[in-house]
Amino acid sequence: MSVHILMYPYPTPGHIIPLLDLAHKLLHLRRSDLAVTVLVTPDNLHLLDPFLSSSSSSSSSSLQFQPLVLPSPEPPATPHPPRRRLAANVRALRDLHLPLLSRWFESHPSPPCALVSDFFLGWTHRFARERGVPRVVFSPSGAFGLSVNFALWRDLRRPDEESMVSFEKLPNRPRFPWSHIPLIYRNYEVGDPEMELLREGAIGNIESWGIVFNSFDGLERAYLDHIRKEVGHNRVWAVGPLLPAEADGSAGPVSRGGPSSVSAGQVLTWLDACPDGSVVYVCFGSRAVPTQRQMDELAAGLLESGVRFILCVREANRGGHAAEGNYGAVPEDFEERAAGRGLVIRGWAPQVPILRHRAVGTFLTHCGWNSTLEGLSAGTVMLTWPMGAEQFVNAKLLVDELGVGMRVGEGSEKIPEAAELARVLAEALRGDLPQRVRAKEMSSAAWNAIEGGSSEKDLSDFVRCVDEQRRTKIHA
């Protein structure tokens, strides 16, 4: 294979899944000279099963998609506090994988001509440069979120007046309360080796050869142009929304996530019995777990609203984390009181099929980027309740710039009272909402981008540029 691309996701489902969706898109370009290797740890290997099973039916396909399984770091003897956990995980991955990856490169008969790696893995920029191959950042966040990230780490921003942080150079000159800035940055301390590793990684992202976004031009054109200006080149590609195979019309469903208390078939059968646009879907993503106070107000609001709903509940022992360290449980009598109009899913929900079902009209979300894109592509009204990371940036995009959303809560600072939440839930299902009109427009723009539009063109251009770089190196 001439164009061999190594993909290296950060090993959590929310980062692995969109990169696998990118791999799926690449392999369906039908280029016989393109091969993809995905680096994965043993505990996440099951996420590749659909690709491996489809490849096994064809010898040519099996050559085009291969896993590279490297071990997971050993759990630390003493658990790291939450404020240091990401930095410790990144360091552990680098220390363990760097020598293994080096040996794999050196021994491979046809080593990769490009490395696409997650933005948490900025250390791979130096690794790729030392081997003379371009490193491409994969951003599972949008261009707005990464623009804020770049400005923070490059300039080491701190609050100005009234504990607000201003971004004067960004489009629309956004401002955020200090508490809405990602925690990993707020915890940054000059001279702390692990925190310095995060900053070095962010600078490595800025200096990398290219960036691929899970976004599309019609969604974030101003911020994509800003990123191009910041990095000083045009090797910035928006190829999203990256959706699972069953949602984009391609053959072969892609398994996602983990175990669930309710099968996808049961969920869709339940939705089939509901009128069009009558259901609110509530999910806080693969990591966030509401605190008990948040869960109590949410459950009471759902009951008081009288609306039909699906509530996806993550469980703390599945890797979630609550902002205040306590884990919210659904009240014992909640399901009994909601019988007939509410469905509770414990574990993973088949989110994309749910959002695309005709019965679902509104999505109450933590505003993680995967959920944001899935909601936008489905044309649902978005009720925003960001919990952390870049989710406050995404909520601002949805509400203030795109006009497809309504604010509900903000982490643990602004928890809606049950009565107010009930009012908003009922209002958000109205068919004549201006946000619903805008949501349908954004859904059309998303599908147009991936069906022959800007995202499809960017994907092809990305492969073309990688191939040109490879050929230039050969003839140098």
Side-chain angles (χ1 to χ4, degrees), residues 146-166:
L146 196 64
S147 295
V148 169
N149 178 284
F150 280 3
L152 288 170
W153 287 108
R154 184 192 56 215
D155 303 332
L156 295 180
R157 308 296 301 278
R158 284 295 181 264
D160 43 33
E161 78 284 357
E162 300 176 356
S163 295
M164 298 291 290
V165 183
S166 302

Side-chain angles (χ1 to χ4, degrees), residues 102-421:
S102 297
R103 287 199 291 271
W104 180 80
F105 252 85
E106 292 162 3
S107 62
H108 199 286
S110 179
C113 63
L115 169 61
V116 178
S117 58
D118 190 275
F119 67 7
F120 280 158
L121 305 175
W123 60 266
T124 59
H125 167 57
R126 176 180 294 180
F127 170 85
R129 185 177 60 192
E130 290 172 350
R131 281 149 189 82
V133 300
R135 185 259 175 152
V136 179
V137 183
F138 177 72
S139 178
S141 294
F144 187 9
L146 196 64
S147 295
V148 169
N149 178 284
F150 280 3
L152 288 170
W153 287 108
R154 184 192 56 215
D155 303 332
L156 295 180
R157 308 296 301 278
R158 284 295 181 264
D160 43 33
E161 78 284 357
E162 300 176 356
S163 295
M164 298 291 290
V165 183
S166 302
F167 296 88
E168 298 295 326
K169 296 180 181 179
L170 267 65
N172 303 312
R173 303 169 67 183
R175 303 174 77 234
F176 297 94
W178 178 241
S179 59
H180 291 184
I181 298 299
L183 186 63
I184 59 171
Y185 178 80
R186 283 186 281 137
N187 285 329
Y188 172 74
E189 297 174 2
V190 177
D192 183 315
E194 288 187 339
M195 295 299 176
E196 289 292 352
L197 179 64
L198 293 180
R199 187 179 186 221
E200 290 171 10
I203 300 303
N205 290 337
I206 296 172
E207 295 175 348
S208 287
W209 183 79
I211 306 175
V212 169
F213 282 100
N214 183 13
S215 187
F216 59 98
D217 186 71
L219 175 63
E220 296 192 287
R221 180 177 300 125
Y223 297 104
L224 290 163
D225 287 341
H226 173 77
I227 290 284
R228 292 182 180 105
K229 181 180 177 182
E230 288 294 290
V231 299
H233 57 75
N234 289 322
R235 292 184 300 275
V236 174
W237 300 279
V239 300
L242 294 167
L243 300 172
E246 65 267 27
D248 68 5
S250 303
V254 177
S255 298
R256 308 165 82 75
S260 173
S261 64
V262 185
S263 72
Q266 290 173 305
V267 175
L268 297 179
T269 298
W270 186 88
L271 284 170
D272 287 343
C274 299
D276 290 3
S278 66
V279 176
V280 176
Y281 172 58
V282 183
C283 183
F284 290 92
S286 61
R287 299 287 293 169
V289 178
T291 63
Q292 193 60 57
R293 184 183 163 209
Q294 290 169 328
M295 181 60 77
D296 287 344
E297 295 293 346
L298 175 60
L302 286 168
L303 292 175
E304 188 174 333
S305 70
V307 304
R308 293 177 176 84
F309 66 87
I310 293 176
L311 172 61
C312 181
V313 181
R314 297 281 182 238
E315 305 194 322
N317 61 3
R318 294 200 187 280
H321 52 88
E324 297 174 353
N326 60 331
Y327 302 93
V330 174
E332 287 186 11
D333 63 344
F334 177 75
E335 290 178 80
E336 181 180 344
R337 295 175 64 189
R341 65 178 180 87
L343 177 66
V344 177
I345 302 174
R346 289 178 169 80
W348 284 84
Q351 180 158 291
V352 172
I354 288 173
L355 288 170
R356 291 189 53 75
H357 196 282
R358 57 164 182 79
V360 175
T362 301
F363 182 16
L364 197 165
T365 172
H366 69 311
C367 304
W369 191 245
N370 293 333
S371 292
T372 294
L373 287 177
E374 289 163 1
L376 285 172
S377 63
T380 58
V381 171
M382 313 282 271
L383 300 181
T384 67
W385 193 341
M387 294 290 187
E390 89 291 6
Q391 294 156 19
F392 294 97
V393 177
N394 300 339
K396 186 175 185 65
L397 179 71
L398 291 170
V399 176
D400 297 337
E401 299 194 23
L402 300 178
V404 300
M406 304 160 64
R407 286 187 175 84
V408 169
E410 292 179 344
S412 297
E413 304 168 27
K414 181 184 175 184
I415 301 175
E417 294 184 356
E420 174 61 14
L421 179 57

Side-chain angles (χ1 to χ4, degrees), residues 50-66:
F51 294 91
L52 297 174
S53 60
S54 64
S55 295
S56 64
S57 62
S58 165
S59 59
S60 60
S61 296
S62 64
L63 290 173
Q64 287 186 299
F65 182 85
Q66 294 286 335

